[in-house]
Amino acid sequence: VDYKTDHVSADEALLARAAAYASQCRTYAQGVREAFGLVEWPRWELWFLRPGRVVLGYLDRDDLRLE
């Protein structure tokens, strides 16, 4: 999980910001995978504090989901 304080409100803008942070999240997830010897890639989450929304990301597929 990584939290962000970006000022975004519309879903499309939120997903665009999440896509911009995706490479950072992939690096974190890779570190977790290697540290714990995981076979599968862990899911990552971006918590956008200002709009109170969460974006879920998956490394085994190109998929971002709003929660």
Side-chain angles (χ1 to χ4, degrees):
V1 172
D2 192 4
Y3 70 90
K4 301 297 181 192
T5 59
D6 301 50
H7 291 277
V8 290
S9 57
D11 289 353
E12 289 136 8
L14 192 60
L15 288 172
R17 293 303 306 144
Y21 290 122
S23 66
Q24 178 184 17
C25 293
R26 286 183 184 99
T27 300
Y28 295 159
Q30 182 177 356
V32 169
R33 183 180 184 203
E34 291 173 6
F36 290 100
L38 301 175
V39 175
E40 295 183 18
W41 284 98
R43 180 186 79 199
W44 52 267
E45 298 180 11
L46 286 171
W47 293 4
F48 288 88
L49 301 180
R50 305 236 179 206
R53 301 290 302 272
V54 174
V55 176
L56 305 178
Y58 302 86
L59 293 176
D60 58 344
R61 59 188 188 270
D62 189 22
D63 187 20
L64 297 175
R65 295 183 186 178
L66 283 172
E67 289 288 314

